[in-house]
Amino acid sequence: MWFYEKKLQYPAKVGRANLRMAKYLITQYGGPDGELAASLRYLTQRYTMPTGQAKAILTDIGTEELAHLEIIATLVYKLMDRSTVGEIEAAGLGAYYADHDKALYYVNGESVPWTAAYIQSKGDPVADLHEDMAAEEKARATYEWLINLSDDPDLNDTLKFLRQREIVHFQRFGETLQLVQEHLDSKRVY
Amino acid sequence: MNREQVAALKELMAQEFTALEFHLYLDTHPTDQRALMEYNEACRQLMVLKQRYQQCFGPLTFCESSGYPWQWIEEPWPWQISY
Ligand SMILES: [Fe+2]
């Protein structure tokens, strides 16, 4: 089970309202390599992991990704804050506004809604952990490209924190893959 | 939210992050005794900060005692705060 903690994992700041960046950043909310996909992928793959260690890391990283989802939501919320309908339309977000006003919705930068087809849960721990490592690298690259698109130092500070977390998660999944492989090899001896 | 509260909140966030890093590390290095000691110490310090923060500013999570009236519903929520 889960309880909510009424705080963010990291102080999510933006220097100024910026609809252009809001439009790009929403992909880390509901896009293919975003935080929702990451969290739901790990939290559903954990049930069929072979070791307590692998179950733990998927539970813990899946939970941390929910905290990242909240950070992205906070950033998008702040980037859109106080903007007028005219500004929203000029930034190419008129269609988004028609469906959602300034509410947060799970879409990518082109307003394609989130789908479970973004993720897999194969039941084979080696296949699943390879997917997880790739997912972390894709999320890291997305943060990289978002930082390239942004000239707001406050926003970039939070994006760099999130990028760094993907690197740590990749490392932990890599170690888990090795531990799982050792576990599977030890069973094969008999 | 005043400056003093934001500062206390950020201190607590940083301490919790330290504990989380050790937690994930221990998931793949369960026999690293030094990391385990540092994890236990980080958690102990976090408890102190959380207790102090919640006494001043109200509950951060489920089953932390609340002053009257019920403080959980007080704003700002985390996305409304200027950090
Ligand atoms: Fe991640």
Side-chain angles (χ1 to χ4, degrees):
Chain A
M1 74 170 297
W2 281 267
F3 290 117
Y4 182 65
E5 246 189 29
K6 201 173 170 182
K7 55 179 269 303
L8 296 183
Q9 187 190 19
Y10 189 80
K13 265 196 290 191
V14 306
R16 60 171 200 284
N18 184 337
L19 292 164
R20 186 181 68 90
M21 282 311 297
K23 184 171 155 60
Y24 298 144
L25 196 53
I26 195 102
T27 197
Q28 288 300 70
Y29 198 60
D33 306 316
E35 301 292 355
L36 182 70
S39 179
L40 296 185
R41 176 189 294 110
Y42 308 149
L43 291 179
T44 202
Q45 287 178 354
R46 70 188 177 131
Y47 296 97
T48 45
M49 282 290 148
T51 63
Q53 183 276 320
K55 291 180 182 86
I57 203 75
L58 284 166
T59 301
D60 294 337
I61 295 181
T63 300
E64 186 181 351
E65 305 294 9
L66 283 179
H68 297 171
L69 188 68
E70 187 183 31
I71 291 173
I72 294 294
T74 299
L75 291 173
V76 173
Y77 173 83
K78 289 182 173 187
L79 288 169
M80 293 184 78
D81 197 28
R82 281 191 279 270
S83 50
T84 66
V85 179
E87 288 163 348
I88 287 171
E89 217 192 339
L93 283 165
Y96 185 91
Y97 176 81
D99 280 335
H100 312 292
D101 192 345
K102 294 183 203 169
L104 274 289
Y105 190 60
Y106 298 112
V107 291
N108 76 356
E110 283 154 337
S111 276
V112 178
W114 190 85
T115 163
Y118 288 155
I119 66 174
Q120 178 57 298
S121 190
K122 199 67 198 170
D124 180 304
V126 173
D128 281 346
L129 286 165
H130 274 100
E131 174 180 331
D132 302 344
M133 291 171 72
E136 292 297 332
E137 284 298 299
K138 288 187 276 183
R140 183 203 41 81
T142 307
Y143 282 119
E144 212 67 70
W145 311 153
L146 287 165
I147 290 162
N148 291 346
L149 287 163
S150 159
D151 60 359
D152 177 341
D154 287 331
L155 175 61
N156 284 349
D157 173 68
T158 305
L159 295 180
K160 282 175 188 164
F161 169 80
L162 292 168
R163 178 185 64 184
Q164 199 56 33
R165 297 311 294 153
E166 310 306 2
I167 294 168
V168 171
H169 293 169
F170 176 80
Q171 172 79 22
R172 298 289 165 256
F173 282 139
E175 291 158 357
T176 300
L177 177 62
Q178 201 185 331
L179 291 167
V180 162
Q181 251 152 357
E182 282 166 16
H183 168 81
L184 295 175
D185 288 348
S186 76
K187 275 173 62 186
R188 243 174 245 132
V189 171
Y190 303 101
Chain B
M1 185 178 279
N2 66 35
R3 283 182 133 207
E4 180 203 0
Q5 185 175 355
V6 173
L9 181 59
K10 281 164 93 170
E11 187 186 6
L12 188 150
M13 287 159 85
Q15 185 61 32
E16 190 169 271
F17 180 68
T18 302
L20 173 80
E21 267 287 67
F22 280 116
H23 184 123
L24 292 188
Y25 174 84
L26 283 162
D27 281 354
T28 54
H29 304 80
T31 58
D32 187 331
Q33 283 192 336
R34 228 193 88 192
L36 185 58
M37 272 170 53
E38 291 196 54
Y39 168 78
N40 286 335
E41 176 56 21
C43 290
R44 196 193 57 75
Q45 286 179 27
L46 177 62
M47 288 304 216
V48 173
L49 290 177
K50 274 190 176 168
Q51 250 359 302
R52 203 185 298 155
Y53 182 90
Q54 293 180 123
Q55 257 157 30
C56 296
F57 306 114
L60 278 167
T61 192
F62 180 77
C63 246
E64 294 291 342
S65 60
S66 168
Y68 177 87
W70 180 233
Q71 286 177 294
W72 179 252
I73 59 174
E74 275 175 17
E75 294 192 287
W77 282 75
W79 56 92
Q80 300 174 295
I81 298 167
S82 297
Y83 296 97

